[in-house]
Amino acid sequence: MRLRRLELQGFKSFLDRTILTFQPGITGVVGPNGCGKSNIVDAIQWVMGEQSAKHLRGESMSDVIFNGSDTKQASSMAEVSLILEREGVSLSPMFSAFDKSDEISITRRVYRDGTSEYLINKVACRLKDIHELFMDTGVGKRAYSIIEQGQIDRM
């Protein structure tokens, strides 16, 4: 599976709907301090099922919801969708309904009241279903390496 797109809305610093398209060959996200690079990493980990607010640099799960600014009101929910290209990956028989498409979309939402939702291709599911979907695909919330600036030389 290859990361095709990441869609964020109300997640941390991304109040407005933001779509990041990852063309083949993209191996990193770079930008100046404060532009949201770490929030992109947090969004990918979160949508794939991260349950620890500390791993997302927060105190509680509501910290992933845009908290407002001087000019913008706080958001009532955060939503992240991860769209993956399925090329060459066969899914478990329990996910055969998703075999018809060359893309698979994983979405997670959380509301200020604590309610959360998970979706696979816009169909409601459980977190367990998302974990099972990625089983034996090499994809998961801990399958990627995040290398900080100045740390590449150490490798």
Side-chain angles (χ1 to χ4, degrees), residues 105-125:
S105 170
I106 309 301
T107 301
R108 183 174 181 182
R109 285 186 200 120
V110 66
Y111 298 90
R112 286 227 180 260
D113 68 4
T115 307
S116 63
E117 300 172 343
Y118 297 92
L119 300 101
I120 300 175
N121 286 4
K122 299 184 177 163
V123 175
C125 67

Side-chain angles (χ1 to χ4, degrees), residues 90-104:
S90 56
L91 300 175
S92 162
M94 70 187 283
F95 298 106
S96 62
F98 304 125
D99 272 339
K100 297 167 186 69
S101 174
D102 67 334
E103 286 185 347
I104 192 150

